[in-house]
Amino acid sequence: MSDPVITPELIAAHGLKPDEYDRILEIIGREPTFTELGIFSAMWNEHCSYKSSKKWLRTLPTKGPQVICGPGENAGVIDIGDGQAIVFKMESHNHPSYIEPYQGAATGVGGILRDVFTMGARPIAAMNSLSFGEISHPKTKRLVAGVVEGIGGYGNCFGVPTVGGEVRFDKAYNGNCLVNAFAAGLADADKIFYSAASGVGMPVVYLGAKTGRDGVGGATMASAEFDDTIEEKRPTVQVGDPFTEKRLMEACLELMQTGAVISIQDMGAAGLTCSAVEMGDKGDLGIQLNLDAVPQRETIMTAYEMMLSESQERMLMVLRLEKEAEARAVFEKWDLDFAIVGETIPEDRFLILHGNEVKADLPLSKLSSEAPEYDRPWVATKAAAALADAPSIDPIEGLMALISSPNYAAKQWVYQQYDTQVMGDTTRTPGLGAGIVRVHGTGKSIAFTSEVTPRYVKANPVEGGKQAVAEAYRNLTAVGALPLATTDNLNFGNPEKPEIMGQFVGAIKGIGEACLALDTPIVSGNVSLYNETDGVGILPTPTICAVGLIASPDQIIAGVAREGHVALLIGETAGHLGQSALLAEAFGRAEGDAPAVDLAAERRNGEFIRANHAMITACTDLSDGGLALAAFEMAEAAGVGVALDATDTPTLFGEDQARYLIATSFDKAEALMASAAAAGVPITMVGKFGGDKVRMGGSEASLQSLATIFRSAFEKAVG
């Protein structure tokens, strides 16, 4: 079968602009072959090259004494002491999940797990951050059901606990849901595996499952907007097999113990192309591949298809020559393919052979390090006007508006479909704040959380970016963890629109400022752009996942409020209602500015909580829904009523930052207040826990009736 003629239409279909194609002609001095066009398309698309975001990503803080490996590898690595490290990353599978919810979400989980165990870490925790359109939209319920089932189906079968996450609904996601998947693994700090190839004449080995046609062009599809041709993109979605991935992980981890591995890279976006190019480029080497040796599960596959397939559960490795037999035996034992498909070469070449023909012969370094980089025009988001008329509402009515919304109702319908206890080390499951997993065989634990408030980011990208980091910091602190580092998943619309690029730039500035001030560097991440359908973009959604260390069991804050406990508020309350959850859910308004984030106060208040953990029984940070929602959730979790002293709407529902709600005994409350006064930390007694009612501002309702609404609203909405 002859290759198609290269036409302007074919070039455009590969996501390449005319000037980018001209650059290709300049680099290779001739017209590319069809396979070469596909390779350039894969390496130069937004998903793989970060061509619109690289300039700004470089401004993020990525270093610190806790950082072993920052951005640029499969995942970030941080030191947790005792010769141990946590390897973690978050990535998007947005476009595939909208096209085919189950497989899109499942393979998103599979891909992020491979990123972790590729580096020699055994996965110990997973999370996800999900954004869907409004419940009334005809596609939303199907998307929710398929995505949740896909995440659970893959993660549960693979055997990793899902310990946290978030789910939101907004009409801005009607045409483009977001599925962001996070994974973390445990490794020895001195046994991390990297992707840079080394040594000339070393075997390049294909590992894992066979190659099929699923996912061909997936990375290019993920770098474009949706339109009415969306159904035609279904073949670009990969199909996952968690049981094969489990075997692949065990085989890789076993092989890593033999000393056979020089470098290793998972085959994710752009499959064989991206993995081979990245290994060669990082090692300043060329790669020669013979596609006749690639294990295939479909007949008469072309070079183009094999190079761009995104079939799952595959790895590429550079192997020590003398270890071939030992390595092959490991993979045969696990019933996985092991095939030498090429070798490293000294020249700067990416040479692809198939059927005794040269299908591609390109300068390898130009595919990666010479990919286009744009300084996109951007305009700063116009400052939002202050909220003109702050609403007032009966407190119980306001609380009911929040807890009956799928955005703020309990999410057990989601997380009960996930295995949260597999491996036996999960000590805090979803629904109670940050998830906690023990470091097996030690007294340490690791806490995980995921946060972003998109309506804040839209109103004020800088403050919204800061707030996402600050809230993640507070979530970890509230369970007694010292925040160590973060990963991000930056979900935005079309960067070629200056106002969208302005949102991106603003959010990056805010995230960078917060990570620097709170000592939580960004060590890995992902950028997902072109989240638009028919020109309508999503809310800017820069998801932040943070990881924290709990050095010993006595530092964990994981109790519940009890009868007679005092409710203490840490931090200052001004009653900020702009862009608040109450404004959105009770009044249908998205107005005003995002709340200001005082990073010095965030750090001071967080350090106070951690330093005084022994006097705190239960703790939660204040965010969406303010004091009213935080107090209700703390009471509901404990099965005990709560009475708040405040009567006005801004005090009860305002979303001022740097605040925590604490439950503790009266004696410890007195000691905490004295300690806070000495440390210059604002602290206020705001009520007490007890009885069987929720009382706010002169209104009351039975805890049981409110709990029934809270626990049933989500399932009613999506069921």
Side-chain angles (χ1 to χ4, degrees), residues 292-313:
D292 295 335
V294 170
Q296 299 161 53
R297 57 177 161 80
E298 299 187 45
T299 58
I300 323 176
M301 287 192 72
T302 65
Y304 177 96
E305 290 170 331
M306 279 187 274
M307 292 306 296
L308 298 188
S309 168
E310 293 183 8
S311 294
Q312 297 292 285
E313 294 85 44

Side-chain angles (χ1 to χ4, degrees), residues 559-641:
V560 295
R562 298 294 184 200
E563 183 79 28
H565 271 180
V566 172
L568 296 176
L569 179 63
I570 298 288
E572 295 182 335
T573 299
H576 183 96
L577 285 171
Q579 299 298 332
S580 65
L582 180 75
L583 200 65
E585 300 294 347
F587 299 95
R589 295 164 59 187
E591 300 168 22
D593 199 357
V597 180
D598 182 339
L599 293 168
E602 293 283 4
R603 182 163 184 149
R604 178 197 65 206
N605 296 354
E607 288 173 348
F608 175 81
I609 295 288
R610 294 193 299 274
N612 292 278
H613 64 86
M615 291 189 281
I616 299 170
T617 301
C619 182
T620 184
D621 83 298
L622 268 61
S623 52
D624 292 297
L627 173 62
L629 186 56
F632 166 75
E633 288 180 342
M634 190 177 277
E636 197 274 340
V640 64

Side-chain angles (χ1 to χ4, degrees), residues 53-302:
S53 57
K54 278 190 286 194
K55 170 188 166 115
W56 297 102
L57 295 178
R58 293 191 190 102
T59 68
L60 291 170
T62 60
K63 293 180 169 56
Q66 71 275 45
V67 178
I68 295 172
C69 175
E73 277 292 338
N74 288 290
V77 187
I78 58 170
D79 192 338
I80 59 166
D82 307 311
Q84 293 178 307
I86 295 293
V87 179
F88 65 97
K89 189 182 183 184
M90 191 173 217
E91 278 207 340
S92 60
H93 235 220
N94 302 335
H95 284 48
S97 299
Y98 189 76
I99 297 169
E100 215 305 304
Y102 182 94
Q103 290 297 348
T107 53
V109 174
I112 200 65
L113 290 169
R114 285 196 304 280
D115 280 337
V116 167
F117 71 73
T118 297
M119 299 195 71
R122 182 174 290 276
I124 61 168
M127 293 192 295
N128 51 79
S129 178
L130 311 177
S131 303
F132 299 103
E134 47 195 347
I135 290 290
S136 59
H137 190 272
K139 286 190 175 181
T140 296
K141 292 180 182 180
R142 180 182 69 86
L143 288 170
V144 173
V147 165
V148 171
E149 188 180 356
I151 290 170
Y154 203 102
N156 297 353
C157 293
F158 179 87
V160 62
T162 299
V163 300
E166 50 187 344
V167 185
R168 69 181 55 83
F169 298 87
D170 190 278
K171 64 182 180 181
Y173 305 103
N174 280 350
N176 205 126
C177 65
L178 301 184
V179 175
N180 294 176
F182 167 95
L186 180 67
D188 291 336
D190 61 351
K191 294 177 183 173
I192 304 297
F193 287 81
Y194 299 99
S195 58
S198 64
V200 173
M202 297 297 169
V204 175
V205 186
Y206 175 113
L207 308 167
K210 288 178 168 57
T211 293
R213 291 187 173 93
D214 53 318
V216 172
T220 301
M221 175 272 293
S223 303
E225 295 181 35
F226 283 149
D227 54 27
D228 56 9
T229 65
I230 186 170
E231 285 303 315
E232 298 171 15
K233 296 179 171 68
R234 192 172 299 276
T236 63
V237 179
Q238 311 93 328
V239 177
D241 179 352
F243 298 108
T244 297
E245 177 127 328
K246 176 70 170 176
R247 288 185 289 121
L248 179 63
M249 178 189 73
E250 297 296 349
C252 285
L253 294 179
E254 183 177 334
L255 184 62
M256 288 167 175
Q257 303 304 311
T258 69
V261 180
I262 294 175
S263 66
I264 188 165
Q265 176 82 32
D266 84 294
M267 289 194 225
L272 190 54
T273 290
C274 194
S275 56
V277 169
E278 288 192 5
M279 290 171 75
D281 186 60
K282 289 176 183 175
D284 293 321
L285 291 168
I287 300 282
Q288 176 177 314
L289 297 178
N290 180 2
L291 300 185
D292 295 335
V294 170
Q296 299 161 53
R297 57 177 161 80
E298 299 187 45
T299 58
I300 323 176
M301 287 192 72
T302 65

Side-chain angles (χ1 to χ4, degrees), residues 58 64 135 161 181 190 269 271 293 314 340 354 398 484 624 629 656 673:
R58 293 191 190 102
I135 290 290
D190 61 351
R314 301 181 302 158
I340 295 177
H354 185 222
L484 290 180
D624 292 297
L629 186 56
D656 307 286
M673 294 182 81

